[in-house]
Amino acid sequence: MVQILANGDIVQDDDPRVRANAQHRENTSRQEFFNMAPNAGHAPLQQRAARPRGRSPFSELNQQLMNMGFPLWNLGNQVVEPVMSILLLFLLMMVGVRGLLLVGLIYVVSHLSQR
């Protein structure tokens, strides 16, 4: 069989350029899949320097809110973090108790349907 290279050349499968390209592509895809490549080259330089690897903006915000004194609390077997507490308060103000109960019901139904 033949392979088509990125530059448009048509070569046989046993060509060294095909093997090198396939091996590079395989290593890159594995690194991206397991997120083991350091900063994977997708984020701008400012973001790489600003955030440690593996931390999301929500986890940073949670940490800041916990440092300010917002508590973690449990709802059943789920831990409710400060960001979710603030979101629940915001939803309560915007849609009221009935709307909050509707959102909770939708969450429970979707959570149970995933099992």
Side-chain angles (χ1 to χ4, degrees), residues 2-50:
V2 295
Q3 294 283 330
I4 301 174
L5 298 178
N7 62 3
D9 291 343
I10 300 173
V11 296
Q12 294 294 326
D13 285 338
D14 58 352
D15 190 283
R17 295 177 290 179
V18 173
R19 290 184 191 152
N21 191 17
Q23 188 174 11
H24 173 70
R25 198 171 41 228
E26 182 179 300
N27 290 341
T28 304
S29 65
R30 283 184 186 160
Q31 286 175 343
E32 289 176 359
F33 179 75
F34 291 112
N35 199 17
M36 293 174 61
N39 293 324
H42 298 296
L45 186 58
Q46 295 85 5
Q47 286 182 349
R48 285 187 218 158

Side-chain angles (χ1 to χ4, degrees), residues 30-108:
R30 283 184 186 160
Q31 286 175 343
E32 289 176 359
F33 179 75
F34 291 112
N35 199 17
M36 293 174 61
N39 293 324
H42 298 296
L45 186 58
Q46 295 85 5
Q47 286 182 349
R48 285 187 218 158
R51 254 189 299 160
R53 190 171 148 216
R55 300 281 304 212
S56 71
F58 291 111
S59 63
E60 292 288 331
L61 185 58
N62 270 329
Q63 188 61 44
Q64 292 294 326
L65 289 170
M66 284 189 283
N67 290 343
M68 290 171 39
F70 282 86
L72 290 172
W73 51 281
N74 295 328
L75 183 64
N77 61 353
Q78 299 288 325
V79 175
V80 180
E81 295 180 339
V83 169
M84 293 306 292
S85 300
I86 291 173
L87 179 66
L88 288 171
L89 289 174
F90 178 74
L91 281 173
L92 183 64
M93 288 188 304
M94 295 301 291
V95 297
V97 175
R98 286 184 182 172
L100 197 59
L101 289 174
L102 178 64
V103 169
L105 178 67
I106 291 170
Y107 172 77
V108 168

